[in-house]
Amino acid sequence: MSTPGANVLELNDIHTYYGAIHALKGVSLRVGAGEIVTLIGANGAGKSTTLRSINGLNHPKQGTITFQGEDITNASPHTIVKNGIAQSPEGRRLFPRMSVTENLEMGAFQRTDRENFNGDMDRVFELFPRLFERKAQKAGTMSGGEQQMCAIGRALMARPKLLLLDEPSMGLAPIFVEKIFEIVIEINQQGTPVLLVEQNALMALDIANRGYVLETGKVALEGPAADLKVNERVRKAYLGEG
């Protein structure tokens, strides 16, 4: 993990609704430069809603979101991508009939610096040699783990200054889970801060600098990942103990 620095992302007292449902009730969190920060919690706790609030898909009714010192609370999703936030979504959402290479190219569609494009494609293939082997294959015919690699690779093609990962290990075989988390560490060590939403709390806390525990739309606990890992409440609720 890189050395944490100044905050890249800050959420202050975020309240987000789905119609009349009050999904986030005053969420505050921060991601520092060089950090991996994880968001853990049960289904329906508000983890994905937090990401939707950040990426512009569900604007908060109250509170502020600041990215690199700029207020993006009400910015459009494409502006947020342009500013440097890219997401690998839950369920991967690849274009199944397009090749691996074409899916990766889609991650760079808003970029104007085409001269760096090939170098970034090479970087993705270095991180994920399996994608290089399958670059002409239709994305929909690959295994779940390979599709997850492609989804993360597509997000990296946007050259993000912050990478949002939504449930990257969901539905994957254990061998792929381990590989994905190794690559997340590598991406971070290459200089990209990561906000990781993950149901596999143990793995997430293993690789993160800090963590936040969401319960019914509120931050119930926060702190260094190593502390949360030994916290009794976290162990019982999320690490399957007792």
Side-chain angles (χ1 to χ4, degrees), residues 174 177-179 181 196 198 200-208 239:
V177 173
E178 213 141 293
K179 186 73 192 147
F181 279 105
L196 168 68
E198 180 53 64
N200 187 332
L202 188 59
M203 290 286 273
L205 291 170
D206 261 344
I207 70 163
L239 307 182

Side-chain angles (χ1 to χ4, degrees), residues 2-82:
S2 319
T3 314
N7 292 338
V8 175
L9 177 77
E10 285 187 61
L11 275 65
N12 287 308
D13 193 31
I14 291 298
H15 292 257
T16 303
Y17 291 76
Y18 290 109
I21 297 163
H22 195 173
L24 297 184
K25 304 163 186 167
V27 168
S28 296
L29 62 84
R30 62 188 172 84
V31 180
E35 279 194 310
I36 298 177
V37 174
T38 188
L39 207 50
I40 61 174
N43 269 341
K47 304 187 301 295
S48 290
T49 307
T50 302
L51 294 189
R52 288 175 67 86
S53 302
I54 296 164
N55 66 25
L57 290 173
N58 201 341
H59 294 306
K61 285 200 175 165
Q62 189 184 321
T64 55
I65 300 173
T66 313
F67 177 61
Q68 294 190 314
E70 194 179 316
D71 188 334
I72 60 161
T73 316
N74 295 304
S76 65
H78 75 267
T79 302
I80 288 166
V81 172
K82 221 171 201 163

Side-chain angles (χ1 to χ4, degrees), residues 37-238:
V37 174
T38 188
L39 207 50
I40 61 174
N43 269 341
K47 304 187 301 295
S48 290
T49 307
T50 302
L51 294 189
R52 288 175 67 86
S53 302
I54 296 164
N55 66 25
L57 290 173
N58 201 341
H59 294 306
K61 285 200 175 165
Q62 189 184 321
T64 55
I65 300 173
T66 313
F67 177 61
Q68 294 190 314
E70 194 179 316
D71 188 334
I72 60 161
T73 316
N74 295 304
S76 65
H78 75 267
T79 302
I80 288 166
V81 172
K82 221 171 201 163
N83 285 356
I85 298 179
Q87 179 168 343
S88 174
E90 183 183 344
R92 306 183 270 279
R93 313 249 175 99
L94 296 175
F95 299 95
R97 293 182 182 175
M98 286 164 65
S99 71
V100 167
T101 302
E102 288 166 338
N103 269 279
L104 294 175
E105 286 168 349
M106 291 302 287
F109 80 98
Q110 279 207 322
R111 283 176 50 177
T112 49
D113 60 328
R114 304 308 286 180
E115 67 277 7
N116 298 314
F117 180 86
N118 290 340
D120 289 340
M121 187 73 85
D122 290 344
R123 177 196 173 203
V124 169
F125 287 143
E126 266 171 47
L127 282 167
F128 303 105
R130 200 176 283 237
L131 292 184
F132 182 73
E133 291 164 19
R134 300 194 178 342
K135 61 185 183 178
Q137 189 172 330
K138 284 191 168 60
T141 64
M142 297 196 300
S143 74
E146 290 160 349
Q147 288 187 28
Q148 186 60 62
M149 291 174 177
C150 192
I152 295 173
R154 178 179 61 186
L156 290 176
M157 285 301 292
R159 279 210 158 185
K161 295 167 189 153
L162 173 67
L163 178 62
L164 308 179
L165 294 177
D166 195 359
E167 304 286 7
S169 81
M170 187 182 272
L172 301 191
I175 187 160
F176 268 120
V177 173
E178 213 141 293
K179 186 73 192 147
I180 292 289
F181 279 105
E182 278 170 21
I183 288 163
V184 172
I185 293 170
E186 202 172 324
I187 290 165
N188 176 249
Q189 284 172 340
Q190 289 176 3
T192 307
V194 177
L195 179 58
L196 168 68
V197 163
E198 180 53 64
Q199 281 205 302
N200 187 332
L202 188 59
M203 290 286 273
L205 291 170
D206 261 344
I207 70 163
N209 297 89
R210 292 184 303 105
Y212 293 85
V213 179
L214 277 190
E215 287 177 4
T216 57
K218 293 178 182 167
V219 175
L221 288 168
E222 63 178 282
D227 294 354
L228 290 175
K229 221 168 119 180
V230 296
N231 179 292
E232 200 176 332
R233 189 167 152 197
V234 173
R235 293 176 81 94
K236 280 185 176 164
Y238 307 106

